[in-house]
Amino acid sequence: MFYIIGLGLGDCKDITVKGLEIIKSCERVYLEAYTSILTCGTEALEEFYGRRLIVADRDLVEQGADEILQGSKSANVALLVVGDPFGATTHTDLALRAEEQGIEVKVVHNASILNAVGCCGLQLYTFGETVSIPYWIGGWEPDSFYEKISKNYSNKLHTLCLLDIKVKEPTLESLTKKKKEFMPSRFMTVSEASQQLLKIMKRRKESGCPLEIAEDNICIGLARVGSDTQKVTVCSLKEMAGVDLGGPLHSLIIPAPVLHPLESEYLQKFKHVREIYDSTAPTSEKNSETST
């Protein structure tokens, strides 16, 4: 059997009882270590699970699938994934590869940022398409994600922005060499993501493009969701560009232009500087109430 097991978001104790029982029965256990991270290290996981873990980087998961799946027809093999197994398309692809080889696959689900984001008080069913914000590197400055945020906003939907992480990424120079050299690990912060959004908005304004979102729109910064050091803050997009929420992982939310009264009330306890919705929507909309 090939198992894909979600680890949740906090630390080694967030695994389900079912997941832990399976790990103890496996011949090999891989830890996927590039789409996300836990606040505890690999050593803490190994100690709690009582098993040695094989750390699987991007190359192994995406290009060495056969190595991971090897022997799964006659023994139990597991891939551990931070959050929920299907929070990233990479794991869906791996499940399909296994099934193509006649290997039975079982998935053990867990909490992910896609549902834990409700910790800020926004209602999950009022979220639109989730977007990823990549690092801008060496003149490569993609901004297509802004269109999706803008579309969600115009449809009165919230947007969850997943922020880029760089773990064991080869340097551009080393790609032409036989021996790979890796960049230091980097984890995008809500401040960096907000700065990129503000630059995109400035460029669009200068080119005459209409802007759905303004720099004084509120946004929500989240850090280390599910851990003991979880942090949530609410302020304007402009203010968020200077906010420090500490260590990774961070996520950013651009709320819809109109909030349900319960959403607005819940957000008040996270306000960073000012009253929620003092200038986010027209006066006629601020008192509006969405359906429950």
Side-chain angles (χ1 to χ4, degrees), residues 184-289:
S185 295
R186 297 175 64 195
F187 304 91
M188 184 180 286
T189 65
V190 292
S191 174
E192 292 171 318
S194 300
Q195 290 169 25
Q196 288 189 185
L197 278 170
L198 290 169
K199 288 179 181 178
I200 292 170
M201 291 161 58
K202 181 180 179 181
R203 292 172 186 172
R204 291 176 66 86
K205 184 177 181 180
E206 290 173 348
S207 63
C209 295
L211 292 177
E212 290 281 350
I213 306 164
E215 64 179 22
D216 64 346
N217 275 111
I218 69 161
C219 61
I220 305 166
L222 304 99
R224 302 171 299 284
V225 172
S227 75
D228 292 338
T229 61
Q230 173 177 303
K231 201 164 187 180
V232 181
T233 192
V234 178
C235 60
S236 71
L237 183 60
K238 183 177 181 180
E239 291 163 342
M240 191 66 77
V243 167
D244 180 6
L245 292 185
L249 292 171
H250 291 195
S251 300
L252 183 70
I253 300 173
I254 307 299
V258 181
L259 296 182
H260 185 280
L262 288 177
E263 292 180 311
S264 184
E265 181 180 352
Y266 203 89
L267 287 180
Q268 290 290 343
K269 67 179 186 176
F270 301 124
K271 64 182 181 180
H272 182 69
V273 176
R274 61 196 179 94
E275 291 297 316
I276 306 303
Y277 274 125
D278 59 0
S279 60
T280 303
T283 303
S284 60
E285 290 188 338
K286 290 177 190 176
N287 297 321
S288 298
E289 183 174 317

Side-chain angles (χ1 to χ4, degrees), residues 13 25-26 55 76 157 263 267 274 288:
K13 294 182 180 179
S25 75
C26 287
V55 177
N76 291 336
L157 298 172
E263 292 180 311
L267 287 180
R274 61 196 179 94
S288 298

Side-chain angles (χ1 to χ4, degrees), residues 81-149:
V81 178
V82 177
D84 185 79
F86 291 145
T89 55
T90 297
H91 311 127
T92 306
D93 179 66
L94 192 58
L96 290 172
R97 287 172 181 253
E99 290 170 356
E100 287 172 359
Q101 296 180 30
I103 299 169
E104 189 174 355
V105 178
K106 283 192 177 180
V107 174
V108 181
H109 294 284
N110 210 320
S112 79
I113 189 61
L114 297 176
N115 54 28
V117 70
C119 68
C120 70
L122 297 184
Q123 296 164 356
L124 294 180
Y125 62 81
T126 51
F127 276 80
E129 182 177 357
T130 299
V131 307
S132 296
I133 299 183
Y135 272 116
W136 285 352
I137 301 174
W140 182 70
E141 300 184 354
D143 60 5
S144 59
F145 58 86
Y146 179 83
E147 295 292 343
K148 296 177 181 179
I149 297 173

